[in-house]
Each structure stands twice: as C-alpha cells, then as structure tokens.
Amino acid sequence: MSWRRSLAACALALGASASSAQNFAADLQLPCVTAPEAEALVTAILPETIEALSAACAKQLPPGAVLRGSNAGFIARYRSDADAVWPNAQKAVSRVIGADASGILGSNVARPVIASLLAPAIVKQVQPGECASYDRIVALAQPLPPRNLAGLLVSVWQLADARRKPGEKRPALTICPRSS
C-alpha cells in the first residue's frame, strides 16, 4: 500500500471532513467499492452511526422523537446484522486501504473500531436543522431489515454520484460503475 493511500485512508477513518479528506486525496484516486461492498459497509456501521446521530441531535429534537428515545432493541437488531456482514464490508475497507491490512481487519474488534471512527465523521456533516429529517428517516427505517436500509442509502449514493457533472468534485469514496 502506498504511503499516500494509507494517509488518505487514515484521514477518512480518523474523522476528517469529507471536503478535507477530498482535498487531501485530490491527487490520489482511491479505488471505488462495489455496490454490494458499499451496502455491507453501510450495514456494518449503521448501529454506531444511529447512536452518534442520536447523541448529536438529542438537543434539537422534541421529547417524543425516535432519536431521543431508547433504541436498544432496534440497535441490537442492527448490530447483529452489522456483525454478520462484516466479512463483506472488510472487502470494501481492504480495497480502500490496501490488501496488506487484511490481518488487522480480521480481528474481532475491527468492525466496532472502524464503525466508531466512521460514524462520528459521517454525523459531523449533519447540520442541526436537519435533525428532524434524520429522525423521520430513522423512524421509517425501524421496521426495515438493516440490509434494506443500507441498500436504500447506497442507491441514493449511486444516484448522487450519477448526477455529478464532469469535473465536479467527487467524494473520496465512490461506488464502482455498474457493469453492463
């Protein structure tokens, strides 16, 4: 793995904002991840992301909001799926940071550590005025299997990528174009 790729991956993992990680990696093209890898990665970090979103939005939401309530059962269900899909999510992480990290990624603590680093980086992008919208998304997602929510989020990610104009800044991590 090149030192530049390692530094870019570390910047992303350590919570650099999307724009600063993008600027850092401007000369570095991180490899794309496949849609199934992206879905596994999203599923793997959903529990910690929802917990971080709850903490970040608690003061902006009314007392009855889903993100202010106890989501223990919901989070436990999502955590179970997160652990189950981790082997596929490892492929996405390995693709980005390099195959020589596979030994570290295979440990039992890798998923929670990566999720605990990525979740705050994701939630850091949330504006206080958006909390009610995120609360609604989480409320609507509660009955869904975690993989369905991940699939929806990845589909929105793909739509956003497809709408970017040529020359427009792309996110540091992209989903590989679909094969025809």
Side-chain angles (χ1 to χ4, degrees):
M1 167 170 49
S2 76
W3 67 272
R4 294 186 70 151
R5 180 193 271 179
S6 298
L7 289 174
C10 286
L12 288 169
L14 293 173
S17 71
S19 61
S20 65
Q22 173 104 16
N23 292 337
F24 179 79
D27 295 333
L28 175 68
Q29 182 64 29
L30 293 177
C32 62
V33 296
T34 67
E37 290 168 346
E39 286 181 24
L41 183 59
V42 169
T43 301
I45 66 171
L46 273 172
E48 290 80 4
T49 304
I50 293 168
E51 288 173 332
L53 191 57
S54 292
C57 287
K59 292 179 181 174
Q60 276 74 40
L61 296 170
V66 171
L67 286 174
R68 287 199 59 183
S70 172
N71 292 310
F74 172 55
I75 296 295
R77 185 168 52 93
Y78 272 56
R79 188 162 282 120
S80 175
D81 266 26
D83 291 336
V85 301
W86 177 243
N88 289 330
Q90 285 175 309
K91 293 175 188 174
V93 176
S94 289
R95 185 183 304 267
V96 172
I97 64 174
D100 53 344
S102 60
I104 297 168
L105 295 174
S107 73
N108 290 337
V109 298
R111 190 206 65 78
V113 167
I114 288 175
S116 70
L117 293 171
L118 291 177
I122 292 166
V123 172
K124 185 176 173 181
Q125 305 304 312
V126 174
Q127 302 298 312
E130 299 171 340
C131 287
S133 295
Y134 284 104
D135 186 66
R136 178 157 166 73
I137 291 167
V138 171
L140 292 169
Q142 279 188 323
L144 294 176
R147 292 176 188 183
N148 286 40
L149 176 56
L152 287 170
L153 294 172
V154 168
S155 292
V156 170
W157 182 357
Q158 288 174 302
L159 286 170
D161 278 351
R163 287 186 176 179
R164 282 190 178 75
K165 295 178 174 80
E168 188 177 342
K169 282 190 173 184
R170 305 200 71 68
L173 185 63
T174 60
I175 298 175
C176 303
R178 296 177 194 185
S179 303
S180 300

